[in-house]
Amino acid sequence: MNIFNSDIDNTLIYSYKHEIGSNKKCVELYQGREISFMTQYSYERLHKICEKELFVPTTTRTIEQYKRIDFGIDEPDYALVCNGGILLKKGLIDDAWYHKSLDMISNAQSELKKAIEILKMDSNINFEIRNINQLFLFTKSKSPKETLAGLNEKLNLNKVETFTNGLKVYVMPKNLNKGNAVLRLKEKLKAKRIIAAGDSEFDISMLRVADIAFAPELLKKQMQAKTNTNIVPEGILFSDAVLKHILEL
């Protein structure tokens, strides 16, 4: 069995704010609004890939956010959400997987609590501080670099790490990453080969453990030591390039 672990946002689908041309298909609605799209080219090729590989969406999205997406295929047999902390089997939570995730990050819980108190005192925070399924923290800041600097100064970075994505701010346990989740699922399913695609810092751990990886030019430096990484040059839509290459494997 081969598994195709793929990030979702900016890897397979794009916000309405992102120009991907007119030949596109809406794959996500929110409060009646069309907010995310795939190119028709990627949409059709993903369907073909699902005929030959086990497609496992692998995302930092919450369960609710993930379930808004409609790829036009049957419910995937497996999906990794909440940065791999939760495994969905045909859309239902695998309780054993979730409790194992909680065990894996138990040493980081005190740091997450400390981070909440730090964020509460940060005047840059302009959004609620969310503890996502007791797995990681999420909020937004009007000055995310300042917020991260404050967190990094006071937290034990051997136990947690911090990320920004635009104005979004995350505090993640070190053990809660896509790479660990991909390896756990590979072992669970006795998979032969992992193909992975992702576009951001959240995806680096997953790309590094994959047998074949696809990353954009933006991550070239982080992935340069990994010889089986395919770097998609700037100016080429990432989703189209990745899915085209996978079908040619």
Side-chain angles (χ1 to χ4, degrees):
M1 176 193 297
N2 295 326
I3 300 178
F4 173 37
N5 287 98
S6 181
D7 176 49
I8 296 176
D9 294 280
N10 297 314
T11 297
L12 295 178
I13 77 175
Y14 299 90
S15 160
Y16 67 93
K17 299 175 183 177
H18 193 120
E19 178 53 56
I20 61 171
S22 58
N23 193 15
K24 60 188 179 181
K25 186 170 183 64
C26 177
V27 292
E28 181 180 10
L29 295 173
Y30 179 61
Q31 295 180 344
R33 295 184 296 114
E34 297 183 338
I35 63 169
S36 296
F37 297 84
M38 292 181 75
T39 65
Q40 189 66 33
Y41 183 93
S42 288
Y43 185 80
E44 292 172 359
R45 274 145 191 81
L46 179 61
H47 286 212
K48 291 180 180 179
I49 288 170
C50 289
E51 294 173 2
K52 60 180 243 179
E53 313 285 8
L54 179 64
F55 169 50
V56 179
T58 307
T59 179
T60 307
R61 283 184 175 228
T62 65
I63 297 172
E64 180 185 10
Q65 291 168 336
Y66 164 70
K67 288 195 171 184
R68 293 199 303 249
I69 300 170
D70 181 4
F71 290 112
I73 57 177
D74 292 338
E75 180 82 50
D77 288 343
Y78 298 94
L80 288 164
V81 300
C82 297
N83 222 45
I86 291 178
L87 175 67
L88 300 179
K89 296 172 66 176
K90 284 292 186 181
L92 301 176
I93 296 174
D94 182 318
D95 289 329
W97 181 284
Y98 175 56
H99 291 300
K100 174 65 175 177
S101 296
L102 291 177
D103 288 342
M104 290 171 58
I105 65 168
S106 59
N107 71 329
Q109 291 297 342
S110 61
E111 293 303 304
L112 293 180
K113 291 178 182 177
K114 187 189 298 185
I116 291 173
E117 296 308 310
I118 296 169
L119 292 168
K120 284 179 178 178
M121 300 297 292
D122 186 342
S123 60
N124 291 310
I125 298 301
N126 55 6
F127 193 76
E128 64 183 309
I129 302 165
R130 295 179 179 174
N131 189 336
I132 307 299
N133 295 97
Q134 306 303 310
L135 293 169
F136 64 91
L137 305 183
F138 165 79
T139 189
K140 294 181 183 179
S141 170
K142 57 188 177 184
S143 183
K145 288 185 179 179
E146 285 185 22
T147 294
L148 251 62
L151 288 166
N152 292 341
E153 182 182 352
K154 298 174 182 177
L155 293 176
N156 182 343
L157 299 182
N158 291 316
K159 295 182 178 181
V160 296
E161 52 192 336
T162 59
F163 298 92
T164 63
N165 183 358
L167 299 178
K168 299 174 182 177
V169 173
Y170 299 82
V171 183
M172 292 273 183
K174 280 276 192 177
N175 291 335
L176 186 74
N177 62 65
K178 292 184 181 182
N180 283 345
V182 164
L183 291 178
R184 289 171 66 189
L185 188 62
K186 181 180 182 181
E187 174 62 24
K188 179 181 177 71
L189 300 181
K190 308 301 180 188
K192 178 181 178 182
R193 182 174 70 168
I194 298 296
I195 305 165
D199 73 295
S200 74
E201 281 188 87
F202 290 110
D203 302 309
I204 292 172
S205 62
M206 171 174 69
L207 298 173
R208 285 178 174 164
V209 302
D211 300 292
I212 302 173
F214 294 88
E217 189 77 29
L218 182 67
L219 298 183
K220 183 176 181 178
K221 184 176 181 180
Q222 291 96 320
M223 300 305 300
Q224 62 186 2
K226 188 169 167 50
T227 57
N228 56 346
T229 299
N230 300 273
I231 300 296
V232 176
E234 293 181 5
I236 300 175
L237 192 68
F238 190 57
S239 63
D240 285 358
V242 168
L243 299 180
K244 176 178 183 294
H245 284 308
I246 290 175
L247 279 175
E248 294 171 352
L249 291 175

